[in-house]
Amino acid sequence: MSDSQRETVERNYWTYIDGLDQSSTIQRFARFVNVHDAFVGPVTREDNILRLRLLTGDLQVGYWQTDLTYRNATISYGEAALFQAARRPRTEVWYDEFSSNGSQWIHRFLLWPRFLTAKKGKKVRGEFHIKFDEMNFNQVPLNGREFE
């Protein structure tokens, strides 16, 4: 993909996000929470609720424990990658994006490293997707780049 194609895709994505209801949790998260270089923390799943903890931020804005809660959630792609990332210290989020299939939202994550080692030494792509009906998030300031 050329630089100009990438810029067009990125511009179209932000136009899509900006077109969401301003009070939408998804729009607020996409606009105001930078997950680039975030550490992936614990993941829990109970019934149809998925919780994901990220350590977001940087030296300029400070660090945040960012807890995401997805309701009516399924891991539609990359379940092994998500749980391996949660167990592997310092796995980082490289990129995330939201889309909708009309009936549900999808939150996609790309990770670094690009490949993780799962059970029995199997390499899995550093990517996962969460389908959900509703998402909430909460942020708590941290003193440094370590989970408390």
Side-chain angles (χ1 to χ4, degrees):
M1 177 182 293
S2 71
D3 285 346
S4 69
Q5 289 171 319
R6 183 193 53 77
E7 289 169 2
T8 299
V9 168
E10 188 172 340
R11 189 172 40 255
N12 289 342
Y13 176 72
W14 288 112
T15 298
Y16 170 73
I17 291 297
D18 289 340
L20 299 174
D21 180 346
Q22 296 265 329
S23 65
S24 161
T25 301
I26 293 165
Q27 204 247 21
R28 284 191 338 241
F29 185 87
R31 271 290 170 205
F32 300 112
V33 179
N34 182 1
V35 300
H36 181 70
D37 291 339
F39 288 156
V40 178
V43 178
T44 60
R45 186 169 37 182
E46 273 183 56
D47 299 323
N48 63 350
I49 298 173
L50 180 78
R51 290 183 174 85
L52 170 61
R53 177 167 289 166
L54 301 174
L55 194 157
T56 60
D58 58 32
L59 281 172
Q60 288 73 36
V61 300
Y63 294 102
W64 299 85
Q65 175 180 297
T66 303
D67 293 314
L68 297 100
T69 302
Y70 302 91
R71 298 194 187 292
N72 295 322
T74 58
I75 303 165
S76 60
Y77 179 83
E79 183 170 346
L82 171 57
F83 286 99
Q84 184 58 29
R87 286 190 294 274
R88 184 184 177 278
R90 307 238 184 248
T91 299
E92 295 183 1
V93 174
W94 180 48
Y95 179 79
D96 77 314
E97 69 181 17
F98 290 95
S99 65
S100 175
N101 64 11
S103 62
Q104 283 192 302
W105 289 96
I106 303 167
H107 195 180
R108 293 178 179 87
F109 292 84
L110 294 178
L111 303 174
W112 184 260
R114 290 290 297 134
F115 291 93
L116 302 168
T117 304
K119 291 181 181 177
K120 298 180 183 176
K122 180 182 176 188
K123 293 280 188 189
V124 295
R125 190 178 186 92
E127 179 176 354
F128 64 91
H129 305 170
I130 301 170
K131 278 188 180 178
F132 62 95
D133 289 340
E134 180 185 337
M135 181 192 114
N136 293 299
F137 70 95
N138 182 53
Q139 291 190 290
V140 176
L142 297 172
N143 292 322
R145 197 171 188 210
E146 298 291 330
F147 285 109
E148 291 184 353

